[in-house]
């Protein structure tokens, strides 16, 4: 049966080759999680994001996702700054330790200081919440979705909402492309990978005042 539901594809093929993306995933309902993470990674790579620029971290459950996303974003800024500092520190600039090059009277070669890792351009938060017989599901769905929204607004880094909030196992399987019987469903992780590249690219452009 046809449906009007779903995202329309953008006409722009966003280039992810200069982007750095983190995936933070929960470990509850692991079979579904693994398929969603694989789907997201596949689309990130398809858009050109380098494997070395995809960082995957895990947390116990979905409730931990917002805190972890916030810390991972902050840590990537520290890391980006630390790379330069560490490299300069490694050259003993401004320190009293002996420098063999200066002792010989030959100027030390000017090093090429490469920054291997910049801050994350987007984070994909992936979790699978399956409704049980108590109110637990409602509380976690509500708080996690609000908190993930807050993280992206507070940090200015797009956080992709990769949290399935489903009523049963079958719904979860179908949203990971693992449905049983005739309906395999669709792997939503793929959509989240594409959304991350689009939002990261657009965030850079918008930040530069570019709207065309
Ligand atoms: C406790 C719990 C339950 C019952 N169900 C889920 C779930 O379906 N999906 C999920 O990601 N996490 C679940 N958790 C774990 C909580 O998210 C959290 O990890 C714990 O309450 C510890 O803070």
């Amino acid at each position: 049966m046809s449906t009007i539901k779903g995202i329309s594809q953008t006409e722009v093929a966003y280039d992810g080759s200069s982007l750095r993306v983190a995936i933070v995933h929960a470990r509850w309902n692991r079979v579904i999680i693994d398929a969603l993470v694989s789907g997201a990674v596949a689309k990130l790579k398809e858009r050109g994001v380098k494997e070395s620029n995809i960082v995957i971290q895990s947390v116990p459950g979905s409730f931990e996702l917002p805190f972890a996303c916030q810390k991972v974003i902050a840590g990537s800024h520290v890391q980006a700054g630390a790379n330069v500092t560490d490299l300069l520190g490694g050259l003993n600039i401004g320190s009293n330790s002996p420098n063999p090059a200066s002792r010989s009277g030959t100027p030390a070669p000017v090093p090429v200081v490469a920054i291997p890792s910049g801050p994350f351009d987007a984070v994909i938060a992936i979790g699978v919440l399956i409704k049980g017989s108590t109110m637990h599901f409602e509380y976690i769905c509500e708080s996690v979705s609000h908190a993930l929204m807050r993280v992206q607004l507070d940090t200015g880094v797009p956080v992709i909402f990769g949290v399935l909030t489903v009523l049963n196992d079958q719904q979860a399987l179908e949203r990971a492309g693992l449905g049983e019987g005739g309906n395999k469903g669709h792997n939503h992780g793929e959509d989240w990978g594409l959304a991350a590249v689009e939002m990261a690219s657009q965030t850079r452009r918008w930040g530069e005042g570019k709207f065309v």
Side-chain angles (χ1 to χ4, degrees):
M1 197 175 72
S2 70
T3 173
I4 58 163
K5 272 171 65 182
I7 185 173
S8 68
Q9 291 311 316
T10 162
E11 285 160 19
V12 183
Y14 291 98
D15 173 17
S17 60
S18 67
L19 300 178
R20 190 162 187 243
V21 178
I23 295 176
V24 182
H25 70 80
R27 294 192 302 275
W28 268 72
N29 310 312
R30 193 68 200 245
V31 174
I32 315 286
I33 290 282
D34 287 347
L36 294 168
V37 171
S38 297
V41 169
K43 287 295 172 183
L44 290 174
K45 287 186 182 169
E46 190 183 290
R47 283 281 180 260
V49 182
K50 297 180 190 80
E51 190 152 1
S52 57
N53 281 335
I54 303 173
V55 172
I56 301 178
Q57 300 288 293
S58 81
V59 291
S62 293
F63 190 72
E64 283 71 44
L65 286 172
F67 179 82
C69 288
Q70 190 188 54
K71 288 293 174 193
V72 158
I73 290 167
S76 76
H77 284 277
V78 172
Q79 193 184 42
N83 284 322
V84 180
T85 314
D86 289 351
L87 286 168
L88 293 175
L91 292 167
N92 295 320
I93 292 172
S95 87
N96 292 326
S97 30
N99 179 343
S102 64
R103 271 207 310 267
S104 71
T106 311
V110 177
V112 177
V113 180
I115 302 175
S117 46
F120 293 120
D121 296 289
V123 178
I124 308 174
I126 297 183
V128 177
L129 286 157
I130 303 178
K131 188 171 169 59
S133 54
T134 67
M135 290 297 289
H136 187 266
F137 173 82
E138 280 78 2
Y139 281 110
I140 295 201
C141 290
E142 173 93 2
S143 59
V144 169
S145 48
H146 282 301
L148 287 175
M149 175 62 80
R150 211 184 91 198
V151 172
Q152 69 171 345
L153 295 178
D154 286 354
T155 62
V157 176
V159 175
I160 305 304
F161 185 67
V163 182
L164 295 183
T165 55
V166 294
L167 301 179
N168 52 51
D169 292 7
Q170 188 55 34
Q171 285 186 350
L173 289 163
E174 284 172 9
R175 281 152 187 79
L178 300 172
E180 289 147 359
N183 183 15
K184 279 215 155 323
H186 166 69
N187 187 330
H188 285 235
E190 296 179 358
D191 303 338
W192 304 334
L194 294 176
V197 173
E198 177 174 343
M199 287 304 296
S201 306
Q202 292 289 61
T203 299
R204 274 197 190 173
R205 285 184 59 249
W206 294 332
E208 293 163 4
K210 295 179 184 160
F211 304 108
V212 283

